[in-house]
Amino acid sequence: MAGIPWRIFRSYSSASTKEKANRNGTCERTELLEVLKARAKQLQGSNVPEVTVDKVELAALDNDEYQEAVAPGPREKQPIPRARGDGLAQFSTWAEKLQKEMYVQQLKMKKGLPRAASQLALKGQAKLEVKAETKAKPKAKTTESPNHPKRKAATAWNQSSRSPHSKPRAGEVKEAAELKRPQTMPKDKSNQQVLQQTILSNLECFLFLQQSEEAERYLLLCQSSPVKSKVLDIGAYNIVIRSWARKGSLNRIDRLFSILESTGLRPDLDSYALALACMGRNQSPPKAILRYLQQLNSSGFHVDELFQKCLFEEEEKEMVLWAIRTVQPNYQLPPPPSPEICKSSLLQDFYSRETMVSYPKLDFSMKELQERFQQQLEMELKHTVTIESVEAAKPLTPQAIKARELLGILRSQWHDAILQALQNSRRSMAGPKRLPKYSVLYPYLRLLPDEEYVDIMMQVLNDLSPQGESLAVLARELGSKVYDRFIIQRKLRSCQLEKVQEVYEKYIQLLAKDSQPKQDLPREYWEKLVAEAGFGPSLNLKNCSWPCVLLMRLGMHMLEILVKAVKVPRNILNHRLESKPIPVLYHVYSFYSNWQVGLIKPHPIFSQLVSNAAETTLTFNSSAMPMLCPPVPWTSPNFGAFVLNNTKLMRFLDETSHQQLLLEQCPLVNLHPVLDALNQLGNCAWKINQPVLDIIISIFNDKGDEKLDIPPPLSEAPKPPTAPGHPSTWSKSLKHELFLCKKKTAEMHSLRMDALYKLSIANYVRDKVFWFPHNMDFRGRTYPCPPYFNHLGNDVTRAILLFAEGRPLGPRGLDWLKIHLINLTGLKKKNALQERLEYANEIMEDILDSADRPLTGKKWWMDTDEPWQALACCMEIAKASRSPDPAAYISHFPVHQDGSCNGLQHYAALGRDLSGAASVNLVPCGLPQDVYSAVAQQVEEFRKKDAERGVKIAQVLQGFISRKVVKQTVMTVVYGVTRYGGRLQIEKRLKEIDEFPEEYLWEASHYLVKQVFNSIKEMFSATRDIQNWLTESAKLIAQSGRTVEWVTPLGLPVMQPYYRSRSTVLNCGMQRLSVRNSSSSQKPDTVKQKNAFPPNFIHSLDSTHMMLTALHCLRKGLTFVSVHDCYWTHALTVDVMNQVCRQQFVALHSEKILQDLSEFMLEKYCSSSSSSTEPIAHWQKRLREQLSNVPRTGEFNLKQVMDSTYFFS
């Protein structure tokens, strides 16, 4: 589905209402039945012990055919799939369940309900029900626990009990038993981690809301809890100290310091800084200040460290300085530390001052860059951007006008209803009869202005696809949106924005054309300006991340508000019906394999209204758009990219805080090369290729073209067969056909939306210059932050991007454009560069015809591998060749140079593998070597021998073994594909050959994958040795209970984030949610750690090579960007980039990479302290032997890469 989740697609289509009604009629009937059942369940779930539902009607959509009714009896059992061996008690009647419910309620009442803050303290967050893992029985693959739907009364979050009238569920026996257990320490670190995060998040909330009393009460209650006191650290106390410091309450801070002593925790530098800030604020007498300064010194700190290490917010720094100068009037701020220089042997020349050149300027003045910064800031402060869609606006029909008016009125009503419901829910939480489950959420529902919560909920409602969305996905999205906006509010409150603005105004002197040239890198210049402004490290504001459990709870609560508050009159499309309000959203269940998943579905009336209105705007988060000014340079793991939007330097899976910790603990100087490379990629300015964009949009709006990768609209979807009678009478084949039609329609909708988003964003920035800030994954591979439209996209997206900076073609530029065009066609892969150039000159007529008449001429460009990039290149060649002097023609066109099976290149270089190196173009050769053809040839030889020996499948395969059949498997072997995965790849390729007998597919693919692996083993012997060594090492490390870690040659620490996941069950109002949590405190997943290490290690090397190339290209004054192992630059500078790329590959592999890896791992996993008397464990001996046994290398001379034309070409 184009790699984009369903969540983001709007109910958006080009098809007319009539077309849709005809096409979807039969499919919708089954969906309506689902909605009806959901409505019945919704009514059953209201707080009446038993509800008899005689008839649930659904408003007809434009005709009476849709009127259906369903009448489930109140005692009707709903089949609920469960994990076998669950042991959950089954109740036969509702009465028995209610009896059990009341028993649980009585138990709870005996304990008594504490106050809100006590509730927060004693329970921390929603009680984590961790599923018992029964080894003998299989685990249920539930993402969301099977459960009866919506109950009005909320579940008490600490004891899983509810109001006596709420709808009960299975499993109360288990829960009742749990109530009797005393509170004990969470058994695993995972729960401790979540608990600690929750406590810090709650305290941050109180701090932000300026509720110092509540913060302190909560902290003290946590301290008195045997469980929570063990996860309290000095950071928690500092939040409360900061809260009192802002109010100038020194006596409360004194009290907290004395409490700290009693707990055994020691105040840190931040504690003293906040106490001094408080004294500065209320202008305390010198005696009190002196007492704290003496304590600071006796704790082993120095006053200067306050200004070198503390993250000051608001005016804290000035207050601390005032306090110190009260007792030391002549105190001077310490000079900023002299910048550290990276010592990496690969970058000695890069960072040496002798080779410094001026940083390249942009074609903008200071004033223009300042204006662009303001535009970017305004966009980020608004949170969202609404843009015009490129989908052709059809002539507005009276129906569309009416639907838009109706939607406008309804949305206004919904806005007010949501606002009212939000305020009511908050009041009920704060009231005397509050529901304890939700009191934990109360502060989180006060962090933003009410309008912002309503805005977030309305955005989710407007974006909901007609097919609905998973409850868990929606809850997570709602919670995350609140968190992101809270972070922005924090940045505004702590005065971070003013500091960033002040520094950025000066920073643009580095880039503006009307300022003096400077030799600093962006990071160095920014750090210099921050030091001059005296901000210290304060810009690196650390954000306390909310645990997943909390985000889900908050999101679920907002979802409940949405489902309850948003109603539509059932007669809005059919006035013959009564005007009873019915819910717009329904909570239903669906099945994925043997999972039961809760969904939120829009009522068909709402989907019909949105479809009729055919609105032509799209709304995106501001972080999804390209930046309108150069990105803020990365200076640390916590600071860089957007002006305000929260961006992580490293994108990683949820809950992998260990990864973030690893980055923060790494000396910052070691991260300089990586930060500088990301800044370099992000500083490349882009613009839109408008002629190509216009042609693409015209085809997009004219039914699309699948051959050209432009998805057609839903009006072109296959028509479902007409299905007579009731669904229960339909045949199996008819149901399957309907299912396939629905699936195809969903896929088409997904692809169409993906293209619509990309093209609409491109159209929005068509007259602008823009930038893509970058970050990286845990291996160091780089990615643009805006997710939809960027240069990592498909052929269509790449074709509409140009460098904003133009450069003359120079003497060889036009030749490179022609070679690039032939590379894009895929026609002459095995030919020399000169032959490709000659071929381009031969077909010049076709090239010019494609450029002049792309849609009406011979259309040569359409029959190529990358048609849109080929067309864009044809247009560029036409303009250049027709200019008076092609060498002087200013070109903005990016020319690509691709690695030749780059993963195998790294393996061959690591193992100095002679035959392998020759196969992947590390050795100079007159013609490009094609490793895929070589493997196919080797496999064919094996096949011939087997056929002669009478092997049947080898005889069947005669004439079917080609480069295409083996290519994907060869390419992915280096990235850890297994024989199972390889067989599937080959089977897919064989299926594409019409003449291949279908009955032999399985046997043939099984045979071929074995031969492909054997061929690679024979051709790349050193590669297989290294791969096996890496795999075996990772297996032993993971079996010892550790995660696999290493450091890249550029100094980036890498840790594989694969852990055994376990589910945490959240009892939410609508249903129980099972949240999968694979945090770093769990045991490592041995299989993933083992299988993923070789590919991840190679990926970390290819990212290192790319970063080295990027940095050295900067020193040569080149524009450079990359798509992993595909490097882009201007036609003028291709030769220089090729030289740098080869130099850096040789330099990288001249390092003792495998030896260094072995030493690092021996030190990390096998070193035991000399004082230790314990015998070395057996696993440690085995691991030490394995790591010490580094694979031997071959005879290949790396220097040969320098002269290899086809290494990257």
Side-chain angles (χ1 to χ4, degrees), residues 98 105 108 327 352 366 394 474 478 511 519 605 607 618 671 702 713 732 755 901 916 949 958 1096 1124 1135 1206:
L98 283 169
Q105 186 73 7
K108 180 185 141 208
V327 292
S352 81
M366 290 276 292
K394 296 195 172 110
L474 286 175
L478 282 162
L511 307 168
Q519 291 192 334
I605 285 180
S607 302
L618 294 167
L671 294 177
D702 182 29
K732 202 170 181 181
C901 203
R949 289 209 305 271
Q958 184 170 352
N1096 284 340
H1124 305 318
D1135 290 310
Y1206 302 102

Side-chain angles (χ1 to χ4, degrees), residues 808-810 814 880-890:
L809 283 178
L814 184 56
S881 58
R882 287 166 178 166
S883 67
D885 177 8
Y889 171 77
I890 303 297

Side-chain angles (χ1 to χ4, degrees), residues 244-395:
W244 286 120
R246 285 179 182 172
K247 295 190 173 177
S249 302
L250 184 60
N251 58 335
R252 303 302 286 261
I253 291 176
D254 287 341
R255 187 178 146 200
L256 281 165
F257 265 76
S258 58
I259 290 170
L260 263 179
E261 271 180 48
S262 67
T263 61
L265 287 171
R266 292 185 58 195
D268 65 3
L269 208 52
D270 285 325
S271 318
Y272 291 114
L274 293 166
L276 289 164
C278 174
M279 291 184 272
R281 187 181 297 276
N282 62 16
Q283 304 196 346
S284 297
K287 189 179 170 187
I289 298 171
L290 208 54
R291 179 165 54 86
Y292 269 99
L293 285 174
Q294 284 165 351
Q295 201 176 330
L296 177 138
N297 283 325
S298 62
S299 299
F301 299 117
H302 191 277
V303 175
D304 286 356
E305 289 181 88
L306 294 169
F307 301 99
Q308 290 164 339
K309 295 177 182 172
C310 291
L311 305 181
F312 292 118
E313 294 182 23
E314 299 176 18
E315 72 285 12
E316 286 170 354
K317 182 186 170 189
E318 291 72 25
M319 298 294 124
V320 172
L321 194 57
W322 186 93
I324 292 169
R325 284 182 176 160
T326 303
V327 292
Q328 295 178 28
N330 300 324
Y331 178 77
Q332 291 301 310
L333 284 173
S338 53
E340 290 185 88
I341 305 295
C342 176
K343 299 286 191 298
S344 167
S345 57
L346 289 166
L347 288 165
Q348 274 174 343
D349 56 334
F350 177 79
Y351 285 111
S352 81
R353 293 286 141 190
E354 295 81 65
T355 59
M356 284 290 177
V357 293
S358 296
Y359 195 78
K361 297 286 185 184
L362 293 169
D363 192 23
F364 295 106
S365 65
M366 290 276 292
K367 187 169 181 289
E368 286 170 323
L369 286 174
Q370 192 53 51
E371 284 165 5
R372 283 162 185 276
F373 174 77
Q374 287 306 323
Q375 289 170 11
Q376 177 65 28
L377 181 56
E378 280 166 32
M379 181 167 80
E380 291 189 41
L381 284 169
K382 283 180 190 162
H383 307 300
T384 59
V385 185
T386 300
I387 66 176
E388 280 295 315
S389 148
V390 296
E391 203 160 30
K394 296 195 172 110

Side-chain angles (χ1 to χ4, degrees), residues 395-415:
L396 267 180
T397 59
Q399 186 190 35
I401 294 168
K402 189 183 171 192
R404 285 185 190 184
E405 282 172 9
L406 264 178
L407 264 181
I409 294 163
L410 284 171
R411 280 175 181 152
S412 170
Q413 289 170 2
W414 293 339
H415 175 282

Side-chain angles (χ1 to χ4, degrees), residues 6 39 70 214 266 282-283 297 440 466 489 596 601 818 910 942 1033 1073 1098 1105 1121 1169:
W6 255 115
R39 178 65 178 136
V70 63
E214 285 85 343
R266 292 185 58 195
N282 62 16
Q283 304 196 346
N297 283 325
V440 67
Q489 291 295 332
Q596 188 186 26
K601 272 198 164 189
K818 290 174 181 175
L910 278 174
F942 289 153
S1033 302
L1073 271 186
I1098 294 300
H1105 176 223
V1121 288
S1169 57

